[in-house]
């Protein structure tokens, strides 16, 4: 692996010197620090979870998105650009984080793993009324947009894990069987989680979920829910007055008792709608990142989401 990465390391060093003369002292955690393990850069938390579970002790995973930060608008520091350049594998989702897309744009070799290339994305309108009447909210809302939040369907995430194991086995053939075994174990955990959701949401008085941003299309599609997104795919888009009126009307129509917001985004809009329809608010986490200091992981947050949904939808 050292011979294969020599040119990249030299290029990274040159780039970092050009970007910041003082950056060298701040990159002690940069990729390439452990020659005994495969250096993997994950673009945001669910991909970090996947890489750590499949890679185990044979990999060293660096997450580009800091805990507690909303990952859509990630800006890369010079040291992070160096981490991307030096990494032996980059796990990312094309189209989700423009800064990461730009950083890997020049890389066309086998070290770049785009999860969307192995798990086709749903249209943004899948799983409910994500974009009804939202044409004014920006280009990303148009009908041909794809929903990147694929990890919220455990069965799709398991498929990505299987493919990641194959790619890691190509980079590190000595541990290929270990990667496959860990992906199989992860698949078992995700299959169990899928069964819990299927059973837990099988019989509910309501099936509509009103969410602060339309991140739950895959979850809705998998478990027969109907998502009404206040905003579109990106959480920082302000909803128009017309869109707010539409959501309030639908919430009243479906007698929604809960308006969901997420931990990394302000609850103000959700609280406004809840006040208009006589509902309460609750956190439904899209798991784009963990809160700073959290000891949770993907599996535990998903199970918390399930209990939240069962309460809000009056499931038996």
């Amino acid at each position: 692996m050292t011979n294969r990465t020599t040119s990249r390391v030299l290029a990274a060093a040159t780039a970092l010197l050009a970007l910041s003369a003082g950056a060298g002292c701040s990159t002690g955690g940069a990729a390439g620090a452990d020659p005994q393990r495969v250096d993997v850069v994950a673009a945001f938390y669910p991909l970090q979870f996947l890489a750590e579970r499949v890679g185990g002790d044979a990999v060293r995973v660096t997450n580009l998105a800091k805990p507690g930060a909303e990952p859509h608008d990630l800006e890369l520091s010079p040291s992070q650009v160096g981490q991307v350049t030096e990494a032996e594998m980059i796990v990312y989702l094309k189209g989700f984080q423009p800064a990461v897309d730009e950083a890997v744009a020049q890389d066309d070799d086998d070290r770049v793993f785009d999860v969307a290339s192995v798990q086709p994305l749903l249209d943004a309108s899948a799983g409910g009324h994500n974009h009804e009447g939202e044409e004014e909210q920006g280009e990303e809302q148009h009908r041909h947009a794809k929903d990147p939040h694929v990890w919220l369907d455990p069965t799709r995430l398991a498929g990505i894990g299987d493919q990641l194991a194959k790619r890691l086995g190509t980079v590190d053939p000595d541990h290929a069987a270990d990667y496959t075994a860990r992906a199989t174990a992860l698949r078992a955990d995700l299959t169990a989680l899928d069964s819990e959701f299927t059973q837990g949401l099988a019989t509910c008085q309501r099936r509509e979920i009103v969410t602060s941003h339309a991140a739950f299309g895959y979850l809705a599609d998998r478990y027969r829910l109907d998502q009404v997104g206040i905003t579109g795919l990106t959480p920082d888009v302000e909803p128009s007055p017309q869109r707010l009126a539409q959501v309030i009307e639908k919430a009243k129509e479906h007698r929604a008792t809960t308006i969901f917001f997420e931990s990394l985004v302000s609850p103000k809009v959700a609280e406004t709608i809840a006040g208009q329809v006589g509902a309460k608010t609750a956190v439904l986490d899209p798991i784009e990142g963990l809160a700073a200091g959290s000891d949770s992981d993907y599996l535990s947050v998903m199970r918390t989401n399930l209990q939240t949904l069962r309460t809000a939808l009056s499931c038996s």
Side-chain angles (χ1 to χ4, degrees), residues 18 40 73 89 115 129 132 181-182 199 205 219 230 252:
V40 178
D73 299 322
M89 178 167 289
V115 302
H129 310 286
E132 188 172 302
R182 281 190 287 264
Q199 295 170 14
Q205 292 183 16
L219 188 147
I230 298 171
K252 290 180 177 178

Side-chain angles (χ1 to χ4, degrees), residues 139-173:
E139 186 176 346
E140 65 93 13
Q141 302 289 349
H142 69 72
R143 61 181 178 175
H144 300 299
K146 295 294 183 180
D147 184 349
H149 304 87
V150 62
W151 59 89
L152 291 175
D153 177 347
T155 64
R156 286 181 165 93
L157 189 63
I160 295 170
D162 292 338
Q163 295 301 315
L164 177 58
K166 292 180 180 179
R167 292 292 295 273
L168 283 169
T170 300
V171 173
D172 181 19

Side-chain angles (χ1 to χ4, degrees), residues 31 63 69 142 148 150 185 221 273 293 296:
N63 184 356
H142 69 72
V150 62
D221 182 71
I273 292 176
S296 301

